[in-house]
Structure formats: C-alpha cells, structure tokens
Amino acid sequence: NIGRIGSDPVLKQWSIDTIAKYPQMIKDAVLDLTCATASIGFSYTEKLNNVRRYWLSDGSFWSINCGNHSQLPKVAHETIADPEMRAIRFHREGKKDVVLCNWQCHAAWQVAVHPEQISADYVHELRKGAEENNDILFAYFNGANGDVVSKSQVASYQLPISDADEQGRLLVPYLEKALANMTPAKTGKLRMAKGHVDAVLKSFPEELLKKARRVADCEDHAEAVALRKELGFVSITEAGSILNHHNKRLRNGDTMPIHLGAISFGDIGFAKAPYEMFHTNGKQVRVGSPFPMTFVCSLTDG
C-alpha cells in the first residue's frame, strides 16, 4: 500500500533503497545502447477487456458504475474497448531483442467485490511470460486505458478470469501472435514535439473542504467509513481527491498545464498524455496518425 510508505519505516527504507538504484540502472542501460533494426506487428485480444466493465458467461455484464444490466442489448466487443495489441521489436546484433508492447491497461479488478485485487500485476505476468517464452527483453506501455465513453450502456461476453495474474498469462499468446506477424519498419530521423493544454481547476466551498479534511485525517478505517457516509462522500478516496485538487489550485492558480507530447522515427510514432485517455479517443489518435505503427501512451510524465 503506497499510502503506508510515509509511516512504515520498512516500506520507507525500501522506497529509498529502490530509488537510489535508478541512476545506475539508467547509466547501465545507456552504456548498453547499440544499433538496431525494427519491425512492427499487432494482434487482437478478442474478449479480454479491463475498462471497468466485466462480462459474465451468461452474456450479462457487471459494472463498477452501473451494477448489473443484463437486460441491455448486446453490442460488439470492439465498440466499447480497444482490442488491438501493438508491438515493436528491435533486433540487436549479438544481444537480446527488445520488444515494446502497447495495450489497454486499467488497474481495476471488481473493486466492490475483491478490493485486494485492485492491481496491474497482469503487466508483470505478461512481461514474465514474454521474456521466458521468447528470449527477449520486454517493456510495457499503457495504452488508452480510460473508462468507456461516459454513460455508455453495453453488454457482451468475457472469458471467466479469476485474478489479475491470470489475465497477464492469457495475454502472452496474443503478444506472441503479434511477434509472429511482424513486418520490417523503416527508421528515420528522430522527431519530437510537445505542447500543453491549460486545465481549469475547480474551486470548492470551505464547508466541503472542512468535511473532506475530517475524513482524510481519520486514521481508523471503520470510523472513516462511517464518517464519510455521515458527511455524504461516495468514498474515502473522494475526500482525498477534493483536497488534492484544492492544493493544486493553491499552488498553480486557476489553471494547471497538462503536458502532451509526441515522438516519431521512421514508421513508428508515440503519442503521450498524462491521464487515462478514453479508448475511443485512443483509436481516433491512431486513425489520424500518419505512421504505420502508433503507440498511444497514457499516464505519462505525471
């Protein structure tokens, strides 16, 4: 639990020791750089999905936001999620190939039912299987991983999955399918662009901020749950989010810059944003991209 690092001396020391290793790791990686050729490929992950919508074997679906709406009309899986897995393979003479993978990723696993499974551990299982099965080095890039378009009402079918780790293992064959259908990619000059959008920061009434502080400062979990119900908060997280938003407004003023960026070389492009982009928007970026292979990367640069 990342929230415990500040108060737990073991976790705090672990955090310090881990961060201290990063500069040397980056230096080692830079020294390992070598010329490479690139190839690109993709596959479709069919009924695997992780966008706050969970499909059950009877054709109904379960949603964090909407509950079970089994009476809703069924629609194609592709209309509500992004099933495309994209891969770039760099071939290095005398060294292991490096594979970059881009796919939808959302760290939400039936929160109301199994809160201990809120995890992106399937990324680890995907990396582990990819490297062990294919003798490669593997890196994962979050795709457009936001919820479906607001107020969408959809139903379809999903393979039964017991936990996050299993989804990671189920993803490995789809990556291998992409690797088996690679085509050479042209490489060219490295090009970069960046810009920003000024996001308007919301202001909150002082009375609401006082209530949020009461919830956030309550250290006993059971008491905090009772308090947030009493004060009308949907969740404990909501109180923290309000205070976080308020503090950003104190630091930044009425607006805060959201930094966007793009990188390209030859046939390959990366579009990056520091938030959870909706799947629909991610598809729009790829359709509008001039590159044969475009990685849409969410949750970048803070």
Side-chain angles (χ1 to χ4, degrees), residues 56-77:
L56 309 177
S57 58
D58 64 358
S60 62
F61 87 105
W62 184 86
S63 166
I64 291 176
N65 298 327
C66 307
N68 192 334
H69 292 274
S70 58
Q71 75 280 8
L72 294 175
K74 294 178 174 58
V75 298
H77 172 84

Side-chain angles (χ1 to χ4, degrees), residues 45-62 74-75 77 80-81 103-104 108-110 155-163 166-167 170:
T45 54
E46 298 173 357
K47 295 182 175 66
L48 282 174
N49 178 49
N50 202 1
V51 283
R52 301 181 189 269
R53 297 292 188 271
Y54 305 94
W55 283 264
L56 309 177
S57 58
D58 64 358
S60 62
F61 87 105
W62 184 86
K74 294 178 174 58
V75 298
H77 172 84
I80 56 86
W103 187 69
Q104 55 155 306
W109 272 86
Q110 299 191 9
S156 184
Y157 171 81
Q158 178 172 314
L159 297 171
I161 298 174
S162 61
D163 58 27
E166 185 178 356
Q167 173 158 312
L170 289 171

Side-chain angles (χ1 to χ4, degrees), residues 72-297:
L72 294 175
K74 294 178 174 58
V75 298
H77 172 84
E78 287 75 12
T79 63
I80 56 86
D82 186 355
E84 185 177 323
M85 176 180 282
R86 293 161 294 285
I88 305 170
R89 184 166 191 158
F90 293 99
H91 311 274
R92 307 187 300 168
E93 188 69 32
K95 297 183 178 181
K96 285 187 177 182
D97 286 359
V98 176
V99 171
L100 311 184
C101 175
N102 186 219
W103 187 69
Q104 55 155 306
C105 170
H106 207 302
W109 272 86
Q110 299 191 9
V111 177
V113 182
H114 299 293
E116 75 280 1
Q117 291 182 3
I118 303 175
S119 169
D121 285 353
Y122 65 83
V123 177
H124 164 74
E125 289 295 325
L126 171 58
R127 179 203 60 78
K128 181 180 176 183
E131 292 188 343
E132 290 179 351
N133 294 357
N134 302 279
D135 194 31
I136 58 174
L137 297 177
F138 178 84
Y140 187 90
F141 289 73
N142 283 318
N145 63 340
D147 202 349
V148 295
V149 177
S150 299
K151 298 183 179 178
S152 292
Q153 295 182 328
V154 296
S156 184
Y157 171 81
Q158 178 172 314
L159 297 171
I161 298 174
S162 61
D163 58 27
D165 290 353
E166 185 178 356
Q167 173 158 312
R169 292 188 288 271
L170 289 171
L171 283 170
V172 174
Y174 293 112
L175 174 66
E176 293 174 342
K177 186 176 181 180
L179 296 179
N181 294 281
M182 306 291 276
T183 57
K186 295 178 181 178
T187 55
K189 291 182 178 180
L190 181 67
R191 303 176 187 275
M192 304 180 70
K194 64 179 181 179
H196 76 274
V197 176
D198 287 322
V200 177
L201 294 173
K202 184 178 179 179
S203 61
F204 298 94
E206 184 58 36
E207 187 61 31
L208 179 61
L209 292 172
K210 289 181 180 178
K211 292 180 179 180
R213 291 189 188 101
R214 285 182 62 191
V215 174
D217 291 343
C218 185
E219 296 184 357
D220 183 271
H221 179 72
E223 290 181 12
V225 170
L227 187 60
R228 63 98 172 164
K229 290 181 178 179
E230 174 191 339
L231 299 178
F233 289 98
V234 175
S235 67
I236 294 174
T237 305
E238 181 187 7
S241 180
I242 288 173
L243 295 175
N244 183 44
H245 201 101
H246 176 68
N247 290 334
K248 285 181 179 178
R249 198 167 190 272
L250 292 178
R251 291 194 302 268
N252 296 281
D254 294 338
T255 63
M256 177 178 172
I258 296 177
H259 295 281
L260 306 171
I263 302 171
S264 73
F265 49 96
D267 287 343
I268 298 169
F270 292 81
K272 55 196 186 77
Y275 48 77
E276 294 181 0
M277 187 184 299
F278 283 150
H279 286 230
T280 299
N281 303 128
K283 292 178 186 178
Q284 289 172 335
V285 171
R286 288 210 308 274
V287 170
S289 170
F291 306 106
M293 175 59 70
T294 299
F295 274 27
V296 177
C297 303

